[in-house]
Amino acid sequence: MQQEFTLGIEEEYLLVDRDSLELAEAPAALMEACQADFEGQVSPEFLQCQIEVGTRPHVTISSAREDLKRLRSCVSKRAAEHNLAPIAVSCHPFADWKKQQHTRKDRYDALQHALGGVARRMLICGMHVHIGVADSALRADLIPQLSYFLPHLLALSTSSPYWNGEDTGLSSYRLTVFDNLPRTGLPPIFSGWSEYERTTGVLVELGVIEDTTKIWWDLRPSHQYPTLETRIMDVQPRMEHALSLAAMVQALTRMLCRLKDRNLRWRQYDRFLIGENRWRAQRYGVGEGMIDFGDRSIKPMPELMGELMGLLAEDAEALGTMTELAKLQQIAQNGTSATRQRRVHAEAAANGDDPGKAVVQHLIDEFHQDL
């Protein structure tokens, strides 16, 4: 079994005006300052109100923490110089997507042209976790096994209950918007790396896509790096929750590799069944449990997380991430960001305050909680 399972974390943030709490465009000076502070780790995103950060590859969660903390602190400090604040949330509680403009770069202009009106609604932010898997055949083998756990990761990460000022009734409305794009959703099942290359190569050869960066599955092999990239999660207002989710992806990958070394593997379930859990996560977050296909029952998330902690104990101990995984048990018990946002919204409405602005202020405070 490979000895190191490097991880990298990418996060997308929204920028808001500190006074109005509405979305604001990132000034060129802000981007230039952030890029000067962290060359290659901070970049603009599709919309002008977004900014993206990415850690370096790290072997341990503790070194990833320091990197992500520096990145979040940098964006916060530079944004404050322009009376702006970042929020790490997948949908702004009351912003109107029709009023947002995309960043004028050739890449984003081409994306807008290719996707038409669908691209205009992309007022969403996500969190991506890369785990280093050097062998391409192993990456292909892990995809259908890791896919089983994608709904669990989504349920624990949900942070987008509001859209256009309304409670959608969903815990992750972001995924509803994103699923309108082509080449999204659960990854197909491939017999091996060569079949993956042949299948995706058809679209590249025909000029439909320039490369596999235009394939946006919930889990995909990275085009640039020898990694598996998990893309299903909502972005996390609290940095420590982001790190805990990244630690879970890392531990899951190590666990599956450990099984492979023992001539074992996680059972492969039909995408139809995994898709049902994906919907339950999208709709309810951690509130209504997930289907355990092994014993054909719906189990509460705290119970499922307890079982997962048992499965991952050896791996979490080897990786030094028991503390991070324990935080996910707390989320399963107490709720996600979507839960907290709804609580703040209800309290503000009961007090006669503006509930949407109260939620944004809450998100600003959570962004800075662990810095």
Side-chain angles (χ1 to χ4, degrees), residues 140-148 189-190 265 267-268 274:
D141 187 51
L142 289 174
I143 287 174
Q145 299 181 72
L146 270 173
S147 291
Y148 177 87
I189 296 173
F190 299 105
R265 60 183 291 113
R267 180 175 172 182
Q268 186 171 299
I274 298 174

Side-chain angles (χ1 to χ4, degrees), residues 55-290:
T55 70
R56 304 291 188 195
H58 294 277
V59 174
T60 66
I61 202 71
S62 58
S63 59
R65 173 180 287 107
E66 292 307 310
D67 197 357
L68 189 59
K69 185 175 183 178
R70 285 193 296 268
L71 286 165
R72 283 196 173 211
S73 298
C74 167
V75 172
S76 177
K77 174 185 174 183
R78 294 303 187 182
E81 295 170 359
H82 301 272
N83 198 42
L84 303 177
I87 55 174
V89 66
S90 283
C91 293
H92 187 282
F94 61 83
D96 185 348
W97 59 268
K98 294 186 289 293
K99 295 180 180 179
Q100 308 309 313
Q101 301 296 320
H102 78 272
T103 303
R104 299 317 300 261
K105 291 177 64 176
D106 289 346
R107 174 189 173 192
Y108 295 132
D109 289 345
L111 197 61
Q112 172 76 51
H113 176 74
L115 298 176
V118 172
R120 291 196 59 215
R121 299 180 67 240
M122 292 294 290
L123 184 55
I124 55 175
C125 294
M127 167 187 170
H128 306 157
V129 175
H130 290 258
I131 303 296
V133 180
D135 182 72
S136 57
L138 180 57
R139 291 200 293 276
D141 187 51
L142 289 174
I143 287 174
Q145 299 181 72
L146 270 173
S147 291
Y148 177 87
F149 301 99
L150 292 174
H152 302 70
L153 292 164
L154 173 61
L156 292 162
S157 73
T158 50
S159 73
S160 49
Y162 296 104
W163 179 256
N164 231 28
E166 296 184 0
D167 190 328
T168 65
L170 275 66
S171 296
S172 176
Y173 193 74
R174 160 190 154 264
L175 213 60
T176 302
V177 177
F178 197 70
D179 281 349
N180 283 281
L181 271 62
R183 303 178 293 280
T184 56
L186 295 168
I189 296 173
F190 299 105
S191 61
W193 186 254
S194 59
E195 185 186 6
Y196 163 76
E197 289 191 312
R198 282 197 307 272
T199 303
T200 58
V202 171
L203 299 187
V204 177
E205 290 165 12
L206 293 174
V208 175
I209 56 175
E210 59 191 64
D211 53 46
T212 55
T213 61
K214 297 301 188 294
I215 294 173
W216 300 298
W217 298 325
D218 297 338
L219 172 68
R220 70 179 184 185
S222 171
H223 176 74
Q224 295 175 290
Y225 311 110
T227 65
L228 282 176
E229 180 185 6
T230 304
R231 304 169 49 83
I232 197 171
M233 292 174 285
D234 277 5
V235 69
Q236 296 303 288
R238 297 182 184 176
M239 184 187 74
E240 285 300 326
H241 290 171
L243 291 163
S244 290
L245 288 163
M248 181 173 169
V249 180
Q250 185 188 40
L252 284 168
T253 307
R254 187 185 188 279
M255 182 267 288
L256 295 173
C257 288
R258 175 167 54 83
L259 290 179
K260 183 178 177 62
D261 272 12
R262 299 174 184 176
N263 252 354
L264 301 170
R265 60 183 291 113
W266 197 261
R267 180 175 172 182
Q268 186 171 299
Y269 289 93
D270 192 282
R271 293 172 77 248
F272 170 75
L273 295 176
I274 298 174
E276 190 63 28
N277 264 348
R278 185 182 189 267
W279 161 248
R280 292 184 66 84
Q282 185 179 351
R283 170 68 174 87
Y284 302 115
V286 297
E288 293 293 329
M290 310 277 283

